[in-house]
Amino acid sequence: MKKFLFFTSWVLFSCCCTAKGEIFTSISQMTDLIYTEKELVQSLREYIKAEESKLASVKSWAKKLDALTRVSTSDPEGYLAHPVNAYKLMKRLNTEWSELESLVLQNPSDGFISNMSIHRQYFPDEEDETGAAKALMRLQDTYQLDSEAFSRGKLPGMHSSAVLTVDDCFDMGKTAYNDADYYHAVLWMQQSLRQLDDGEEAVVSKADILDYLSYSVYQMGDLPRAIELTRRLVAIDSTHQRAGGNLRYFEKLLFKQLQELNQSYQPASEEPIQLGTYSRPKDHLPEREAYEALCRGEGLQMTEARRSHLFCRYHDGRRNPRLLLKPLKEEDEWDSPHIVRYLDILSDEEIEKIKELAKPRLARATVRDPKTGVLTTANYRVSKSAWLEAEDDPVIERVNQRIEDITGLTVDTAELLQVANYGVGGQYEPHYDFSRRPFDSNLKVDGNRLATFLNYMSDVEAGGATVFPDFGAAIWPRKGTAVFWYNLFRSGEGDYRTRHAACPVLVGSKWVSNKWIHERGQEFRRPCGLTEVD
């Protein structure tokens, strides 16, 4: 339990972790697609109704004409002997069949096609679909979820009717395969094969699945299993273009390896391929395992000894007039570096206004390229963000003033309020908020990013924590609260312990807004220390 003390205290900051995004990494913008799809379904129903009406008219014509021709062909001369019948035959062939031809040539699909064309410009493209697939794989890795859990819609704390078919799993695996990500290709091709073997119907053939799966398993270094899978493929399709050649190559390679190691042949394991069968390849991130463990709530370094140094208090911003009558509730989240959380920072009305202002401006979040200093998109930052000025609305001006009152730091040199919405698998991998590159133009004018103030504008059902791998802390989103910490020591040197990340959102939508406060203007508000790490 945190101890509750009645005194004011200095505050710290937490950074806003937004994320890169494919076009549709924002839940906010993806909801528009839901309504677009609903409108298209209605348009499709109208098209079906028009086609049914047309078909009913053609059937009526056919029924009438069928009755007529049965009578006329039974005795053609007798039928035409009556002048009325002769006249009506001429009329039918000259006028009525032309009308029928016009009816058949009518195209009720024009309205539907037109509607589709209007909306198509807003549809996700191939890059978006690939990005969504990779987001599922990112969630799979971070939260250690097997492919079957995703396929059956079984996520932590959530059971859904949203399932993946054989073809969906195959497409997931193919996305990974095309990216030379054989680790995930194996997991998803195996799941596709499992569901197909269980009797689920599919467009994709078992031969196609085995083709991708066997080669991916080979790439993971499991020759015995690659041989066994390729033999299954040959048994299904002996004329397969690559199977025979691959089988001979795999067998020759395995024989050579066994000779070099002086080992005897061991048949492939009969255990099904699942999460953990193969090791995930290492990537660019050295603290990947620690970061992902924290996202799962594992590896937290919050000991009882450390907890005893954390307190709750009322905070009046060093007797700031605006906070004296209504001080804020402040909670310590971590002792060193000091991270605090403020409660009831934003009202529901303020949050909705900020989201309303941000939604039209949401764009793919960027990072600064370490070589050029130019802002660019990056695969490790997945979200949409927007920047709001005080002039945009009184609410933004009020929030800026509130941040200044709470922190005691001027926001005159701070960056604009950044609003971010994390969509499917939205994240920001471990990074520093402060700049380590002296050529950044913002440093020349306003100095480095001294501190970060992060507002949580939504609760998140699962995932989405802000984690600090260096010292094992995880801070979970709570709507209406804000966290604060310093990125720099008083000397102006960066505090490398503040390297942090925004964990992928597993279930839900995560809205945050943040303020990066710069050094300039803080000379008397946060004076320099006497040592490098003061």
Side-chain angles (χ1 to χ4, degrees), residues 11-19 328-329 331 333 338-346 351 354 381 383-387 399-400 402-404 406-407 409 411 414-422 427-428 431 433 449-458 460 463-468 473-487 498 500-503 505 510-517:
V11 199
L12 290 174
F13 247 65
S14 156
C15 132
C16 159
C17 300
T18 56
L328 292 169
K329 296 173 183 176
E331 298 178 349
E333 287 283 352
H338 194 203
I339 304 173
V340 294
R341 186 194 296 264
Y342 295 101
L343 279 58
D344 303 322
I345 290 298
L346 296 175
I351 288 172
I354 292 171
R381 193 179 194 192
S383 76
K384 287 291 184 72
S385 65
W387 299 85
V399 169
N400 287 343
R402 191 173 302 152
I403 292 172
E404 181 167 308
I406 293 169
T407 63
L409 302 171
V411 296
E415 296 175 41
L416 301 180
L417 187 71
Q418 182 181 212
V419 182
N421 181 216
Y422 295 78
Q427 64 161 7
Y428 193 176
H431 62 283
D433 274 357
R449 286 174 175 168
L450 174 67
T452 312
F453 196 96
L454 172 64
N455 296 301
Y456 291 116
M457 302 199 302
S458 66
V460 180
T466 305
V467 299
F468 296 78
I475 299 174
W476 304 94
R478 283 157 53 191
K479 184 178 180 181
T481 69
V483 285
F484 170 82
W485 72 80
Y486 282 105
N487 299 307
T498 61
H500 60 285
C503 296
V505 174
K510 180 182 176 183
W511 280 92
V512 295
S513 60
N514 74 290
K515 196 80 170 172
W516 279 310
I517 301 174

Side-chain angles (χ1 to χ4, degrees), residues 271-291:
E271 288 293 319
I273 299 171
Q274 55 191 357
L275 201 66
T277 299
Y278 303 118
S279 298
R280 181 159 48 123
K282 301 292 183 184
D283 64 6
H284 65 281
L285 201 60
E287 67 265 69
R288 169 73 64 189
E289 291 184 8
Y291 151 56

Side-chain angles (χ1 to χ4, degrees), residues 186-343:
V186 167
L187 292 176
W188 286 102
M189 289 298 174
Q190 175 65 37
Q191 181 60 30
S192 181
L193 182 62
R194 182 184 294 119
Q195 291 180 211
L196 192 65
D197 286 342
D198 287 343
E200 187 178 316
E201 293 185 0
V203 174
V204 66
S205 69
K206 182 176 287 191
D208 282 340
I209 298 173
L210 286 169
D211 187 19
Y212 280 96
L213 179 58
S214 59
Y215 188 77
S216 298
V217 166
Y218 155 68
Q219 286 288 347
M220 292 305 295
D222 190 349
L223 275 171
R225 199 187 296 261
I227 290 170
E228 184 267 332
L229 289 167
T230 309
R231 284 174 178 166
R232 286 181 63 184
L233 174 55
V234 171
I236 292 173
D237 184 1
S238 59
T239 63
H240 192 277
Q241 184 178 352
R242 290 175 300 278
N246 283 352
L247 182 58
R248 289 188 293 274
Y249 174 73
F250 295 159
E251 289 175 337
K252 181 179 178 181
L253 193 59
L254 180 60
F255 179 74
K256 182 180 178 182
Q257 287 183 5
L258 292 175
Q259 274 192 326
E260 290 175 353
L261 298 171
N262 195 25
Q263 294 178 350
S264 58
Y265 173 74
Q266 296 293 328
S269 170
E270 295 183 3
E271 288 293 319
I273 299 171
Q274 55 191 357
L275 201 66
T277 299
Y278 303 118
S279 298
R280 181 159 48 123
K282 301 292 183 184
D283 64 6
H284 65 281
L285 201 60
E287 67 265 69
R288 169 73 64 189
E289 291 184 8
Y291 151 56
E292 292 181 348
L294 288 170
C295 290
R296 297 190 298 271
E298 302 168 6
L300 300 174
Q301 301 301 312
M302 180 57 73
T303 63
E304 286 304 316
R306 170 167 279 118
R307 195 185 305 277
S308 68
H309 295 117
L310 304 182
F311 301 94
C312 300
R313 61 189 70 82
Y314 283 117
H315 176 75
D316 63 10
R318 292 188 173 181
R319 301 190 64 75
N320 184 290
R322 280 179 286 269
L323 298 178
L324 273 176
L325 294 179
K326 191 179 180 182
L328 292 169
K329 296 173 183 176
E330 179 185 87
E331 298 178 349
D332 290 330
E333 287 283 352
W334 205 259
D335 55 350
S336 181
H338 194 203
I339 304 173
V340 294
R341 186 194 296 264
Y342 295 101
L343 279 58

Side-chain angles (χ1 to χ4, degrees), residues 117-160:
S117 299
I118 292 171
H119 288 293
R120 189 177 296 280
Q121 60 183 312
Y122 304 111
F123 280 13
D125 58 19
E126 187 174 344
E127 181 187 358
D128 295 307
E129 183 180 345
T130 298
K134 289 182 178 180
L136 288 188
M137 296 174 205
R138 185 160 55 243
L139 294 173
Q140 182 178 26
D141 293 339
T142 304
Y143 299 105
Q144 294 185 342
L145 303 169
D146 60 31
S147 302
E148 186 170 14
F150 267 117
S151 179
R152 303 306 181 196
K154 298 175 183 176
L155 298 180
M158 185 181 213
H159 288 272
S160 167

